[in-house]
């Protein structure tokens, strides 16, 4: 209670400094927020693209529909496979003419349908690695009525390296931004401690214990951190809304992330404050 | 209560600020600490408050010794030793009464007891009318009297006063001095640094410790180490 | 000279504060730098994609090669047109089979070549707007041997709206980051002025003029700003290198931009310092 | 040189710090400003230095008037009026000699002239040995003497001294006082706030202006407005 009151009065005593600290922390956590938003949306987009990883087995024109149906069931029971869809020659032509509008005229002129029937095999989320895709493709090719299995090897590899790189970049950039934020919080709190160095020295001479002196600063650091975190959250949300309305549709951050961000800002503020006060206390007293 | 044994304090300069000083201030004793400007009076008081560590020798205050005291014991020591600083050291952001109350809060005094105690102290130093003023709104002498009230707040075992009447006129000076005598009469030891020759002349019965360039050159109580 | 010496001694007197200020400014200008890098690369990428805006005129199978060659020359003399390239039926089939590997087997099975010959018309940089593209397409269609002119209307429109939105976002984000940087510089300088409020007051009582008091702070602000700018430049370059090596090839910022960024940081530091000192000076004196 | 005409200064509290004060300190005159703690001595000195603006009345210093002076004229005024503050106001980051040199730099004194002048001033206040010390390394009396040296640096037309001997022993006090007398003899007006009754007694021939709760209650020079 006393510490809280003191912390509040500390803030009241130097409101400009506190507002500035909150803004500094807010801005730096905001950059983390922006980054998290970007990362999260890359993630969403990636898992969307990844969902399209599939193996296509082109079938001989002479394969009987019954055999194909049996094979389709077998394939669907593979542990790696989510679903297998049969695409007849007619459907293939239709889809091709729809997807490739430039050639729709060409196709309608054709007398024979040159496109083969196929099985489009979608994989389960956990089995979309290059290795699993190749395994499925190999097994499927062993059916005698399968002409060829394609799976865009390069495409699969690319998605995976992209996710790995994105993950690495996320960690590196996230850490460096967090470092920047910690730095700024440290600056802010250190300033507020320095601004009260005289006060601290006087408290020591009056017989206040280290803990007693430290506590209000810790609480002040926590509150400043949380304030900065909330500001960052607000800024991130405004940015999210602005981009959502003008540019592209975005996913908002998971609640867990925002909660973690707030907790991070608060704890960072408290730790930075604690460190700054401890150093100041040791500097001021000779024992 | 306060005991110096061959204490030397050097700040790294050519000559030490305090050189081989020994004396013993007993419980309930009153002593003037005198000497020219730069003789080492403030340094002696700060050694008692353990704001300086002696370069050699030992300072004992109550049950604490400068050579054995732990960092965590400092607050306890400083609550028992009231200190009126030569430069006052008031908190700029607190009013006169808050500055005094602060010293009581720090020691965990019950809230209900703080307000009446602060009022009594302000009256004793003649500042009741300026209770709400901030240090920058107080005259030099008024600030000094706030510092006096704060040092007395916790009824210290030892009172250290550094030139406590330097900014006071004759009447206010005697007022503060009489206050010290009353405090002293109730058992508190008082060590008062001063170069008010007039004061020394008027109180010839009070013990005088005199410094010259850091050395103890005269002690009216005689035996230096006891 | 005196001011420079004073500014340096100011920095020397409070090195921690100065280092912290430089870091704060560095971090915020760094975010501008990151943004500039992104914007510049979007720009480069856009102009690359834009270069591919073209009108394709599909030709009747019965058009004579001489007429086509005459028409091609005519079209190349349009003010909007950069070049017009003739693509024969054979070339068309070859290109199609190369670009659409999935169907290469299919094409090789064909007995007749279903693809038409065409003229691929590239537009000059200044005439790639939706309106110009449509004008060219319309004029080309008027040749009797032109079956149809395609130009991906939607595609052109999209590029244009993307560039507009990117431009807008660049301005908005750039401004808000600049604001953040100005804020941080202001904080830093204000702290350094506050830390010397007593010094300023004493200078005033000794009879120093406002200009005399202000000058070292201005120079200090300028140097702090430039220091922060250089730090930001270094950070941006390191990021650029890191991304370049691990992710994608990037273009480095034009020299003019980096020079402008440095100047911006320096001037911002000076202005923020000037503002802070002026306010302090007025606050301290009653006249 | 310094003229007060019915000057009142109120800080918004119940009673003004200075109330309807008039006096005239002539060129080359020496006067003690005395009165109890809180009587208004420092406020009067700050009014002369134009650190306060009078609530009513007019303060004239040399050719400047409190009611007409412009912000840009303040530096010139303050260079002509040396001020020894009650709380010294030294720059913490500068050594003793740098603090004195600073006052000379500010007025644009030629570099070559600064060093010898600083040395002379330090000698005059008896601090040559502590020239390189920072304020926090100086005793109270030593800081006060640096403040004295700084106020004298620019050979002011008027010297304002606020309790300049409050932290000094008798010998150092007389030293500083003799210095003031010499400065005064060379044409500088001196207004010295003090409650050193001893000093007043010893110099009965010097003009005394006495304040009581902000009012001028005694002026040994007689005519208040001249
Ligand atoms: N922190 C310090 N660093 C270096 N020298 C110091 C420090 N503190 C004091 N001194 C020097 O030690 C000597 C004694 O100082 P001290 O403050 O004890 O004197 P004092 O008797 O209180 O004088 P005064 O009556 O002027 O206050 C002085 O010469 C002073 O300059
Ligand atoms: N800035 C201020 N705001 C409010 N009150 C003030 C201010 N400055 C001075 N006072 C009050 O005005 C009165 C006169 O103050 P002043 O400092 O002039 O006294 P003084 O004669 O110098 O006393 P001392 O000898 O104690 O230094 C005091 O009661 C003081 O509290
Ligand atoms: Mg002292
Ligand atoms: Mg005063």
């Amino acid at each position: 209670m006393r510490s809280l009151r003191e912390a509040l009065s500390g803030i009241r005593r130097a409101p400009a400094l506190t507002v500035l600290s909150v803004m500094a922390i807010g801005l730096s956590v905001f950059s983390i927020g922006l980054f998290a938003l970007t990362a999260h949306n890359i993630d969403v987009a990636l898992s969307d693209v990844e969902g399209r990883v599939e193996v296509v087995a082109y079938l001989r024109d002479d394969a009987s529909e019954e055999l194909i149906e049996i094979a389709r069931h077998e394939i669907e029971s593979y542990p790696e496979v989510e679903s297998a869809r049969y695409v007849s020659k007619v459907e293939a032509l239709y889809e091709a003419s729809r997807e490739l509008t430039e050639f729709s005229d060409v196709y309608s002129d054709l007398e024979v349908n040159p496109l083969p029937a196929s099985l489009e095999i979608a994989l389960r989320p956990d089995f979309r690695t290059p290795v699993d895709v190749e395994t499925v493709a190999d097994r499927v090719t062993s059916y005698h009525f399968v002409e060829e299995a394609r799976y865009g090897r390069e495409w699969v590899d690319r998605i995976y390296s992209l996710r790995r790189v994105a993950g690495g970049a996320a960690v590196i950039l996230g850490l460096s931004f967090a470092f920047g934020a910690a730095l700024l919080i440290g600056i802010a709190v250190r300033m507020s401690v320095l601004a009260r160095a005289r006060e601290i020295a006087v408290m020591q001479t009056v017989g206040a214990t280290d803990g007693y002196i430290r506590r209000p600063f810790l609480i002040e650091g926590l509150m400043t951190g949380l304030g900065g975190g909330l500001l960052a959250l607000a800024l991130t949300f405004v940015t999210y809304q602005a981009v959502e309305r003008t540019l592209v549709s975005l996913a908002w951050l998971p609640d867990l992330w925002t909660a973690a961000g707030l907790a991070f800002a608060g704890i960072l503020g408290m730790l930075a404050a604690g460190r700054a006060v401890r150093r100041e206390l040791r500097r001021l007293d000779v024992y | 209560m306060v005991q110096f044994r061959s204490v030397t304090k050097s700040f790294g300069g050519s000559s030490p600020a305090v050189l081989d000083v020994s004396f013993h201030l007993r419980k309930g004793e009153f002593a003037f600490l005198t000497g020219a400007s730069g003789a080492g009076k403030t340094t002696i008081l700060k050694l008692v408050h353990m704001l300086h560590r002696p370069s050699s020798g030992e300072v004992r205050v109550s049950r604490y010794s400068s050579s054995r005291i732990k960092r965590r014991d400092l607050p306890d020591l400083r609550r028992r030793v009231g200190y009126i600083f030569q430069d006052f050291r008031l908190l700029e952001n607190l009013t006169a009464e808050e500055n005094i109350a602060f010293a009581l809060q720090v020691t965990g005094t019950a809230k209900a007891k703080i307000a009446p105690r602060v009022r009594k102290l302000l009256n004793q130093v003649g500042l009741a009318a300026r209770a709400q003023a901030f240090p920058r709104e107080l005259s030099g002498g008024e600030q000094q009297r706030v510092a006096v009230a704060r040092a007395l707040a916790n009824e210290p075992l030892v009172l250290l006063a550094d030139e406590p009447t330097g900014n006071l006129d004759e009447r206010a000076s005697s007022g503060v001095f009489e206050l010290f005598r009353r405090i002293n009469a109730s058992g508190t030891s008082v060590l008062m640094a001063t170069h008010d020759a007039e004061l020394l002349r008027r109180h010839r019965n009070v013990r005088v410790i005199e410094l010259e360039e850091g050395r103890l050159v005269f002690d009216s109580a005689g035996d230096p180490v006891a």
Side-chain angles (χ1 to χ4, degrees), chain B residues 4-51:
Chain B
F4 273 55
R5 299 192 198 212
S6 306
V7 172
T8 294
K9 175 66 189 175
S10 163
F11 291 106
S14 46
S15 54
V18 165
L19 183 57
D20 193 27
V21 166
S22 302
F23 68 88
H24 185 184
L25 185 75
R26 290 193 182 69
K27 188 161 161 47
E29 206 177 357
F30 195 119
F32 287 125
L33 188 60
T34 190
S37 170
K41 303 180 293 296
T42 301
T43 306
I44 294 246
L45 297 185
K46 286 188 176 170
L47 283 164
V48 177
H49 210 54
M50 307 222 179
L51 286 165

Side-chain angles (χ1 to χ4, degrees), chain B:
Chain B
M1 187 89 305
V2 175
Q3 207 170 347
F4 273 55
R5 299 192 198 212
S6 306
V7 172
T8 294
K9 175 66 189 175
S10 163
F11 291 106
S14 46
S15 54
V18 165
L19 183 57
D20 193 27
V21 166
S22 302
F23 68 88
H24 185 184
L25 185 75
R26 290 193 182 69
K27 188 161 161 47
E29 206 177 357
F30 195 119
F32 287 125
L33 188 60
T34 190
S37 170
K41 303 180 293 296
T42 301
T43 306
I44 294 246
L45 297 185
K46 286 188 176 170
L47 283 164
V48 177
H49 210 54
M50 307 222 179
L51 286 165
H52 288 323
R53 209 195 257 277
S55 306
S56 71
E58 186 193 7
V59 177
R60 295 173 134 279
V61 180
S62 182
R63 58 198 178 80
Y64 297 108
S65 154
S66 62
S67 45
R68 283 189 310 275
I69 193 167
K70 296 266 167 44
R71 199 182 141 73
R72 63 167 178 279
D73 292 326
L74 289 173
D76 184 61
L77 167 74
R78 291 183 187 157
R79 287 168 194 195
R80 290 158 195 267
V81 179
Y83 195 146
I84 301 156
F85 288 92
Q86 195 168 7
D87 53 359
F88 319 148
R89 301 212 182 172
L90 302 177
L91 290 170
E92 296 293 336
N93 310 300
L94 302 184
T95 62
E97 62 180 3
E98 286 168 351
N99 261 288
I100 300 164
F102 185 76
L104 292 162
Q105 285 161 16
V106 158
T107 55
T109 309
K111 225 190 208 163
K113 284 190 188 160
I114 291 181
R117 177 115 188 90
V118 169
R119 217 168 310 127
K120 184 163 169 244
L121 287 160
L122 279 170
N123 276 323
Q124 284 180 327
V125 296
L127 270 187
R130 305 289 294 146
Q132 318 284 343
F134 287 94
R136 67 173 171 283
E137 300 169 349
L138 294 172
S139 80
E142 287 163 350
Q143 290 178 41
Q144 193 159 43
R145 283 176 281 164
V146 175
V148 169
R150 185 181 64 183
L152 299 176
N154 281 307
E155 294 173 334
L157 297 176
V158 183
L159 177 66
L160 307 174
D162 198 350
E163 210 70 59
T165 58
N167 288 274
L168 299 182
D169 55 291
E170 232 159 322
R171 200 157 50 83
S173 279
S174 346
V176 165
F177 188 72
E178 282 319 312
L179 188 56
F180 288 176
R181 295 296 280 200
R182 277 210 305 286
I183 301 282
N184 178 237
S186 69
T188 297
S189 311
V190 178
L191 186 57
M192 174 172 166
T194 186
H195 22 57
D196 190 340
E198 183 62 24
L199 200 68
L200 299 183
R201 245 169 270 139
R202 249 185 287 137
H203 301 280
R204 291 200 193 273
N205 56 329
V206 174
R207 176 175 173 188
V208 174
I209 299 173
E210 192 178 337
L211 298 172
E212 218 177 278
E213 295 184 349
R215 277 173 222 274
L216 195 159
V217 292
F218 175 72
D219 184 349
S220 60
D223 57 357
V225 185

Side-chain angles (χ1 to χ4, degrees), chain A residues 79-158:
Chain A
E80 298 94 344
V81 171
E82 186 148 293
S83 69
R85 188 169 76 90
Y86 174 64
V87 180
S88 69
K89 283 176 72 76
V90 178
E91 285 165 347
L93 187 63
Y94 174 70
E95 279 182 20
S97 67
R98 212 170 41 110
E99 281 181 13
L100 302 159
T101 33
E102 277 196 19
F103 295 92
S104 60
D105 306 346
V106 176
Y107 283 115
S108 61
D109 289 346
L110 294 176
E111 268 130 55
V112 281
N113 178 352
L115 299 178
S118 61
L119 283 175
E120 290 180 5
I121 304 162
L123 300 184
R124 287 182 198 279
D126 289 351
F127 296 97
R128 287 175 188 157
T129 64
V131 175
D132 289 316
V133 172
E134 194 162 359
T135 311
V136 172
D138 285 351
R139 279 186 71 178
V140 168
T141 318
S142 66
Y143 289 104
H144 70 274
F145 53 79
V146 169
E147 176 89 45
E148 187 182 8
R150 301 200 168 211
Y151 57 89
R153 184 198 183 90
E154 234 181 86
W155 186 228
V156 169
D157 286 354
R158 255 207 219 140

